[in-house]
Protein backbone atom coordinates (compact mmCIF):
# COMPACT_ATOMS: atom_id res chain seq x y z
CA UNK A 1 0.00 0.00 0.00
CA UNK A 2 1.56 3.34 -1.02
CA UNK A 3 2.34 5.95 1.59
CA UNK A 4 -0.16 8.85 1.75
CA UNK A 5 0.37 12.25 0.20
CA UNK A 6 -0.03 15.14 2.69
CA UNK A 7 -0.43 18.85 2.07
CA UNK A 8 0.76 20.89 5.07
CA UNK A 9 -0.26 24.53 5.32
CA UNK A 10 1.63 26.87 7.67
CA UNK A 11 2.40 30.15 5.97
CA UNK A 12 4.13 32.06 8.79
CA UNK A 13 5.50 33.46 10.96
CA UNK A 14 8.94 32.41 12.30
CA UNK A 15 7.83 31.39 15.79
CA UNK A 16 4.62 29.81 14.55
CA UNK A 17 6.48 27.67 12.02
CA UNK A 18 8.93 26.57 14.71
CA UNK A 19 5.95 25.53 16.87
CA UNK A 20 4.60 23.52 13.93
CA UNK A 21 7.78 21.51 13.39
CA UNK A 22 7.17 18.97 16.22
CA UNK A 23 3.72 18.13 14.82
CA UNK A 24 4.99 17.66 11.27
CA UNK A 25 7.95 15.68 12.64
CA UNK A 26 5.45 13.28 14.22
CA UNK A 27 3.72 12.96 10.84
CA UNK A 28 7.04 12.24 9.15
CA UNK A 29 8.00 9.75 11.88
CA UNK A 30 4.74 7.83 11.40
CA UNK A 31 4.88 7.95 7.59
CA UNK A 32 8.61 7.95 6.76
CA UNK A 33 8.09 7.43 3.02
CA UNK A 34 5.10 9.72 2.62
CA UNK A 35 5.14 12.73 0.36
CA UNK A 36 4.68 15.84 2.49
CA UNK A 37 4.44 19.13 0.59
CA UNK A 38 4.44 22.30 2.70
CA UNK A 39 2.85 25.62 1.70
CA UNK A 40 4.54 28.66 3.27
CA UNK A 41 5.35 32.30 2.62
CA UNK A 42 8.44 32.85 0.43
CA UNK A 43 10.22 34.46 3.39
CA UNK A 44 10.16 31.17 5.31
CA UNK A 45 11.07 28.69 2.58
CA UNK A 46 14.63 28.34 3.90
CA UNK A 47 13.39 27.78 7.46
CA UNK A 48 11.01 24.99 6.45
CA UNK A 49 13.71 23.40 4.27
CA UNK A 50 16.11 23.45 7.23
CA UNK A 51 13.84 21.01 9.08
CA UNK A 52 14.11 18.40 6.29
CA UNK A 53 10.52 17.37 7.05
CA UNK A 54 8.96 18.33 3.72
CA UNK A 55 9.39 16.54 0.43
CA UNK A 56 8.87 19.88 -1.29
CA UNK A 57 8.31 23.41 -0.01
CA UNK A 58 5.90 25.50 -2.05
CA UNK A 59 6.10 29.28 -1.67
CA UNK A 60 2.84 31.22 -1.86
CA UNK A 61 2.37 34.98 -1.53
CA UNK A 62 -1.19 35.34 -0.25
CA UNK A 63 -1.31 39.06 -1.09
CA UNK A 64 -0.67 38.36 -4.79
CA UNK A 65 -3.62 36.98 -6.74
CA UNK A 66 -1.32 35.46 -9.36
CA UNK A 67 0.50 33.46 -6.67
CA UNK A 68 -2.78 32.28 -5.16
CA UNK A 69 -4.12 31.17 -8.56
CA UNK A 70 -0.90 29.32 -9.37
CA UNK A 71 -0.86 27.56 -6.00
CA UNK A 72 -4.49 26.44 -6.29
CA UNK A 73 -3.81 25.21 -9.82
CA UNK A 74 -0.77 23.28 -8.60
CA UNK A 75 -2.69 21.72 -5.71
CA UNK A 76 -5.43 20.62 -8.12
CA UNK A 77 -2.88 18.79 -10.26
CA UNK A 78 -2.00 16.33 -7.47
CA UNK A 79 -3.90 13.67 -5.58
CA UNK A 80 -3.83 14.17 -1.83
CA UNK A 81 -4.78 11.93 1.05
CA UNK A 82 -5.15 14.85 3.43
CA UNK A 83 -4.48 18.55 3.84
CA UNK A 84 -3.63 19.84 7.33
CA UNK A 85 -4.05 23.54 8.03
CA UNK A 86 -1.95 24.28 11.09
CA UNK A 87 -2.53 28.03 10.68
CA UNK A 88 -6.30 28.35 11.01
CA UNK A 89 -6.87 31.50 8.96
CA UNK A 90 -9.10 32.13 5.95
CA UNK A 91 -6.03 32.66 3.76
CA UNK A 92 -4.59 29.28 4.74
CA UNK A 93 -7.81 27.26 4.83
CA UNK A 94 -8.92 28.39 1.38
CA UNK A 95 -5.87 26.94 -0.40
CA UNK A 96 -6.71 23.21 0.07
CA UNK A 97 -10.43 24.00 -0.16
CA UNK A 98 -10.21 25.61 -3.61
CA UNK A 99 -7.46 23.17 -4.49
CA UNK A 100 -10.00 20.36 -4.27
CA UNK A 101 -8.37 18.32 -1.49
CA UNK A 102 -11.12 15.98 -0.30
CA UNK A 103 -10.03 15.67 3.33
CA UNK A 104 -9.10 18.90 5.07
CA UNK A 105 -8.10 18.90 8.75
CA UNK A 106 -8.10 22.01 10.91
CA UNK A 107 -9.05 23.35 14.32
CA UNK A 108 -12.61 23.76 15.49
CA UNK A 109 -14.09 27.16 16.27
CA UNK A 110 -13.09 26.67 19.93
CA UNK A 111 -9.44 27.26 18.93
CA UNK A 112 -9.53 29.42 15.81
CA UNK A 113 -9.68 33.19 16.27
CA UNK A 114 -11.01 34.11 12.80
CA UNK A 115 -14.75 33.54 12.75
CA UNK A 116 -16.13 30.96 10.33
CA UNK A 117 -12.88 29.40 9.10
CA UNK A 118 -13.75 25.81 10.19
CA UNK A 119 -16.54 25.68 7.59
CA UNK A 120 -13.76 24.99 5.05
CA UNK A 121 -12.61 21.84 6.87
CA UNK A 122 -13.98 18.31 6.69
CA UNK A 123 -12.35 17.39 10.03
CA UNK A 124 -12.64 19.97 12.82
CA UNK A 125 -10.41 19.14 15.77
CA UNK A 126 -11.29 20.39 19.23
CA UNK A 127 -8.08 20.32 21.22
CA UNK A 128 -7.72 20.35 24.99
CA UNK A 129 -3.98 21.05 24.87
CA UNK A 130 -2.60 24.34 26.21
CA UNK A 131 0.62 24.92 24.27
CA UNK A 132 0.21 25.71 20.58
CA UNK A 133 2.84 23.10 19.61
CA UNK A 134 0.77 20.38 21.24
CA UNK A 135 -2.42 21.78 19.75
CA UNK A 136 -0.76 21.34 16.37
CA UNK A 137 0.08 17.80 17.40
CA UNK A 138 -3.63 17.01 17.75
CA UNK A 139 -4.06 17.79 14.05
CA UNK A 140 -1.27 15.34 13.20
CA UNK A 141 -2.97 12.70 15.36
CA UNK A 142 -6.21 13.21 13.43
CA UNK A 143 -4.25 12.72 10.21
CA UNK A 144 -3.08 9.30 11.46
CA UNK A 145 0.22 10.02 13.20
CA UNK A 146 1.06 7.60 15.99
CA UNK A 147 1.88 10.49 18.32
CA UNK A 148 1.29 14.20 18.19
CA UNK A 149 4.83 15.56 18.43
CA UNK A 150 8.35 14.38 17.73
CA UNK A 151 11.83 15.86 17.79
CA UNK A 152 13.32 17.72 14.85
CA UNK A 153 16.89 18.83 14.16
CA UNK A 154 17.37 22.00 12.15
CA UNK A 155 20.21 22.07 9.64
CA UNK A 156 22.41 25.16 9.27
CA UNK A 157 24.36 25.64 6.03
CA UNK A 158 28.12 25.51 6.50
CA UNK A 159 28.62 28.86 4.77
CA UNK A 160 26.39 30.53 7.34
CA UNK A 161 28.24 28.87 10.21
CA UNK A 162 31.53 30.07 8.72
CA UNK A 163 30.28 33.62 8.18
CA UNK A 164 29.10 33.96 11.77
CA UNK A 165 32.25 32.42 13.20
CA UNK A 166 34.41 34.81 11.18
CA UNK A 167 32.50 37.91 12.27
CA UNK A 168 32.52 36.88 15.93
CA UNK A 169 36.21 36.04 15.91
CA UNK A 170 37.00 39.43 14.39
CA UNK A 171 35.50 40.99 17.52
CA UNK A 172 37.03 38.48 19.96
CA UNK A 173 33.58 37.14 20.82
CA UNK A 174 33.70 33.53 21.96
CA UNK A 175 31.10 33.43 24.77
CA UNK A 176 28.17 35.77 24.38
CA UNK A 177 24.50 36.39 25.16
CA UNK A 178 22.09 37.25 22.35
CA UNK A 179 19.69 40.10 23.03
CA UNK A 180 16.64 40.32 20.75
CA UNK A 181 14.73 43.53 21.47
CA UNK A 182 12.21 43.25 18.63
CA UNK A 183 9.00 41.30 18.63
CA UNK A 184 6.64 42.09 15.79
CA UNK A 185 4.16 43.84 18.03
CA UNK A 186 5.86 46.51 20.10
CA UNK A 187 3.45 45.74 22.95
CA UNK A 188 5.27 42.41 23.41
CA UNK A 189 8.69 44.10 23.60
CA UNK A 190 10.71 44.83 26.72
CA UNK A 191 12.05 48.41 26.45
CA UNK A 192 15.21 48.62 24.38
CA UNK A 193 16.80 50.88 26.98
CA UNK A 194 16.44 48.13 29.57
CA UNK A 195 18.10 45.68 27.20
CA UNK A 196 20.96 48.18 27.02
CA UNK A 197 21.18 48.42 30.81
CA UNK A 198 21.18 44.60 30.99
CA UNK A 199 23.98 44.50 28.43
CA UNK A 200 26.05 46.88 30.55
CA UNK A 201 25.39 44.89 33.73
CA UNK A 202 26.40 41.62 32.07
CA UNK A 203 29.66 43.17 30.88
CA UNK A 204 30.49 44.84 34.21
CA UNK A 205 29.48 41.95 36.50
CA UNK A 206 30.24 38.85 34.42
CA UNK A 207 32.59 40.16 31.71
CA UNK A 208 30.07 38.75 29.28
CA UNK A 209 29.59 40.39 25.89
CA UNK A 210 26.25 40.73 24.12
CA UNK A 211 25.25 40.35 20.50
CA UNK A 212 22.14 42.22 19.41
CA UNK A 213 19.89 40.51 16.88
CA UNK A 214 18.28 43.10 14.62
CA UNK A 215 15.28 42.18 12.50
CA UNK A 216 13.50 44.19 9.79
CA UNK A 217 12.15 47.43 11.23
CA UNK A 218 14.13 47.12 14.48
CA UNK A 219 16.86 49.69 13.77
CA UNK A 220 15.42 52.18 16.26
CA UNK A 221 15.40 49.52 18.98
CA UNK A 222 19.01 48.59 18.28
CA UNK A 223 20.06 52.24 18.44
CA UNK A 224 18.27 52.76 21.77
CA UNK A 225 19.83 49.59 23.17
CA UNK A 226 23.35 50.59 22.17
CA UNK A 227 22.80 54.08 23.53
CA UNK A 228 21.86 52.72 26.96
CA UNK A 229 24.67 50.14 27.10
CA UNK A 230 27.43 52.55 28.13
CA UNK A 231 30.85 51.04 27.44
CA UNK A 232 29.56 47.47 27.06
CA UNK A 233 30.16 47.56 23.29
CA UNK A 234 27.39 45.23 22.11
CA UNK A 235 27.83 43.82 18.62
CA UNK A 236 24.78 44.59 16.47
CA UNK A 237 24.44 41.65 14.08
CA UNK A 238 22.55 41.82 10.80
CA UNK A 239 22.50 38.68 8.71
CA UNK A 240 20.31 36.19 6.89
CA UNK A 241 18.19 33.53 8.58
CA UNK A 242 20.89 30.87 8.35
CA UNK A 243 23.36 33.20 10.06
CA UNK A 244 20.81 33.96 12.76
CA UNK A 245 20.45 30.22 13.39
CA UNK A 246 24.21 29.82 13.67
CA UNK A 247 24.43 32.85 15.97
CA UNK A 248 21.70 31.49 18.25
CA UNK A 249 23.08 27.97 18.40
CA UNK A 250 26.46 29.28 19.57
CA UNK A 251 25.09 31.60 22.26
CA UNK A 252 25.28 31.02 26.00
CA UNK A 253 21.62 32.06 26.05
CA UNK A 254 19.16 34.44 24.45
CA UNK A 255 17.08 37.12 26.18
CA UNK A 256 13.95 37.97 24.22
CA UNK A 257 10.23 38.51 24.35
CA UNK A 258 7.61 36.32 22.69
CA UNK A 259 9.21 36.53 19.28
CA UNK A 260 10.56 34.32 16.53
CA UNK A 261 14.25 34.33 17.53
CA UNK A 262 13.31 33.15 21.05
CA UNK A 263 11.43 30.13 19.72
CA UNK A 264 14.06 29.42 17.09
CA UNK A 265 16.74 29.45 19.80
CA UNK A 266 14.79 26.91 21.86
CA UNK A 267 14.42 24.68 18.80
CA UNK A 268 18.19 24.84 18.30
CA UNK A 269 18.83 23.79 21.90
CA UNK A 270 19.96 27.20 23.19
CA UNK A 271 19.10 28.31 26.71
CA UNK A 272 16.47 31.05 26.89
CA UNK A 273 15.35 33.83 29.20
CA UNK A 274 11.86 34.57 27.92
CA UNK A 275 10.19 37.88 28.79
CA UNK A 276 6.40 37.61 28.58
CA UNK A 277 3.64 40.11 29.14
CA UNK A 278 0.41 40.31 27.13
CA UNK A 279 0.75 36.82 25.60
CA UNK A 280 0.51 33.64 27.66
CA UNK A 281 3.73 31.61 28.04
CA UNK A 282 1.67 28.52 28.84
CA UNK A 283 0.42 28.68 25.24
CA UNK A 284 3.28 30.43 23.46
CA UNK A 285 6.37 29.90 25.62
CA UNK A 286 9.65 28.28 24.49
CA UNK A 287 8.91 24.66 23.65
CA UNK A 288 11.05 21.54 23.74
CA UNK A 289 9.64 18.13 22.89
CA UNK A 290 9.15 16.26 26.14
CA UNK A 291 9.19 19.45 28.17
CA UNK A 292 5.80 20.99 27.32
CA UNK A 293 6.53 24.60 28.32
CA UNK A 294 10.28 24.13 28.11
CA UNK A 295 13.06 22.29 29.87
CA UNK A 296 13.39 23.97 33.27
CA UNK A 297 17.17 23.66 33.05
CA UNK A 298 17.28 25.57 29.80
CA UNK A 299 14.33 27.98 29.84
CA UNK A 300 13.44 30.65 32.37
CA UNK A 301 10.16 32.45 31.71
CA UNK A 302 9.50 35.79 33.41
CA UNK A 303 6.03 37.29 33.56
CA UNK A 304 4.50 39.72 36.01
CA UNK A 305 1.81 38.20 38.25
CA UNK A 306 -1.90 38.48 37.43
CA UNK A 307 -1.42 39.65 33.85
CA UNK A 308 -4.50 39.43 31.67
CA UNK A 309 -3.68 37.80 28.34
CA UNK A 310 -4.45 39.92 25.29
CA UNK A 311 -3.53 39.84 21.61
CA UNK A 312 -4.28 43.51 21.06
CA UNK A 313 -1.40 45.08 19.19
CA UNK A 314 -0.01 48.40 20.34
CA UNK A 315 2.96 50.58 19.45
CA UNK A 316 4.19 50.83 23.06
CA UNK A 317 5.31 48.13 25.52
CA UNK A 318 2.44 46.60 27.47
CA UNK A 319 2.42 47.65 31.17
CA UNK A 320 3.23 44.04 32.13
CA UNK A 321 6.50 44.28 30.19
CA UNK A 322 7.40 47.42 32.14
CA UNK A 323 6.91 45.43 35.37
CA UNK A 324 10.01 43.35 34.56
CA UNK A 325 13.09 45.05 36.02
CA UNK A 326 16.68 44.92 34.80
CA UNK A 327 17.93 43.28 38.01
CA UNK A 328 15.23 40.61 37.75
CA UNK A 329 16.24 39.75 34.19
CA UNK A 330 19.95 39.83 35.08
CA UNK A 331 19.35 37.33 37.91
CA UNK A 332 17.47 35.10 35.44
CA UNK A 333 20.39 35.19 32.99
CA UNK A 334 22.77 34.23 35.80
CA UNK A 335 20.61 31.25 36.72
CA UNK A 336 20.14 30.27 33.10
CA UNK A 337 23.84 30.12 32.29
CA UNK A 338 24.95 28.97 35.76
CA UNK A 339 26.93 32.09 36.54
CA UNK A 340 27.55 33.49 40.00
CA UNK A 341 26.85 37.18 40.51
Amino acid sequence: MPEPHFLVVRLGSLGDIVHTFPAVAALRESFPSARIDWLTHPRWTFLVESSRLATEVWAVETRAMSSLRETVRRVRQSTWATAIDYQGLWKSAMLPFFGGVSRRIGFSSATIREFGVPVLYTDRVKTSKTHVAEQNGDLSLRAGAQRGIATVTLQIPQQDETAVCSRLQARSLDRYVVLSPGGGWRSKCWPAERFGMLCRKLRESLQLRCVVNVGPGDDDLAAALVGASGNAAPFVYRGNLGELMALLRGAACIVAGDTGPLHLAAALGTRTVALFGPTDPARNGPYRVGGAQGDGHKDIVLRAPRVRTTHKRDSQPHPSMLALGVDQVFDAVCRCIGAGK
Side-chain angles (χ1 to χ4, degrees):
M1 182 177 177
E3 290 275 4
H5 190 179
F6 294 104
L7 181 67
V8 163
V9 187
R10 178 77 246 191
L11 304 173
S13 56
L14 172 55
D16 293 326
I17 290 174
V18 169
H19 283 157
T20 305
F21 282 153
V24 181
L27 199 66
R28 172 59 73 199
E29 178 184 78
S30 299
F31 302 99
S33 300
R35 183 175 181 89
I36 300 176
D37 293 334
W38 188 316
L39 297 181
T40 195
H41 187 276
R43 182 179 179 185
W44 306 119
T45 299
F46 168 82
L47 176 64
V48 176
E49 290 175 343
S50 76
S51 71
R52 299 186 300 175
L53 295 172
T55 309
E56 286 190 11
V57 182
W58 297 2
V60 53
E61 174 52 80
T62 56
R63 290 177 294 185
M65 188 56 67
S66 59
S67 180
L68 289 171
R69 284 197 299 264
E70 173 59 24
T71 300
V72 169
R73 183 195 66 79
R74 192 175 181 185
V75 172
R76 284 189 169 275
Q77 288 180 336
S78 297
T79 301
W80 309 90
T82 303
I84 311 171
D85 178 17
Y86 292 99
Q87 184 131 15
L89 300 176
W90 282 107
K91 65 181 180 181
S92 57
M94 70 178 182
L95 293 169
F97 178 80
F98 288 115
V101 182
S102 58
R103 187 185 185 201
R104 303 177 301 277
I105 298 174
F107 292 111
S108 72
S109 57
T111 302
I112 286 179
R113 294 195 183 102
E114 285 193 354
F115 177 77
V117 173
V119 73
L120 299 183
Y121 305 137
T122 59
D123 295 41
R124 303 171 186 93
V125 176
K126 184 176 181 179
T127 178
S128 61
K129 303 296 194 309
T130 300
H131 198 283
V132 66
E134 296 186 351
Q135 293 176 5
N136 290 331
D138 280 351
L139 299 187
S140 294
L141 287 171
R142 178 63 67 89
Q146 294 177 1
R147 57 175 178 158
I149 58 174
T151 57
V152 58
T153 301
L154 304 182
Q155 302 298 306
I156 304 173
Q158 183 59 52
Q159 63 266 28
D160 293 326
E161 294 266 20
T162 301
V164 170
C165 183
S166 176
R167 293 178 67 181
L168 293 177
Q169 285 181 347
R171 291 160 179 82
S172 301
L173 276 161
D174 51 358
R175 191 164 188 256
Y176 58 92
V177 170
V178 170
L179 306 180
S180 190
W185 327 341
R186 290 296 172 93
S187 50
K188 295 193 298 180
C189 296
W190 199 46
E193 293 78 7
R194 296 193 189 183
F195 270 107
M197 294 166 65
L198 174 66
C199 176
R200 183 170 59 191
K201 196 171 180 66
L202 288 170
R203 184 67 183 272
E204 292 174 351
S205 300
L206 303 178
Q207 291 74 54
L208 197 57
R209 297 276 301 280
C210 291
V211 178
V212 182
N213 164 57
V214 179
D218 289 342
D219 287 343
D220 61 325
L221 297 179
L225 188 160
V226 172
S229 67
N231 296 321
F235 173 33
V236 178
Y237 195 102
R238 294 174 174 85
N240 62 34
L241 185 54
E243 291 175 20
L244 173 61
M245 292 168 69
L247 181 72
L248 293 173
R249 191 163 69 179
C253 78
I254 181 176
V255 183
D258 178 12
T259 184
L262 173 79
H263 304 301
L264 182 59
L268 290 164
T270 302
R271 297 173 183 270
T272 71
V273 174
L275 311 180
F276 273 72
T279 55
D280 184 2
R283 181 184 186 274
N284 298 98
Y287 188 86
R288 302 176 195 272
V289 175
Q293 291 173 265
D295 182 337
H297 297 292
K298 290 190 173 183
D299 303 306
I300 295 176
V301 177
L302 300 180
R303 193 189 197 200
R306 297 179 295 279
V307 179
R308 179 175 295 181
T309 296
T310 176
H311 292 88
K312 181 181 179 181
R313 303 188 179 199
D314 202 348
S315 60
Q316 298 297 321
H318 190 269
S320 58
M321 299 302 293
L322 300 179
L324 300 176
V326 174
D327 288 344
Q328 181 183 8
V329 177
F330 174 75
D331 289 344
V333 173
C334 291
R335 286 186 284 124
C336 184
I337 66 176
K341 292 182 284 182

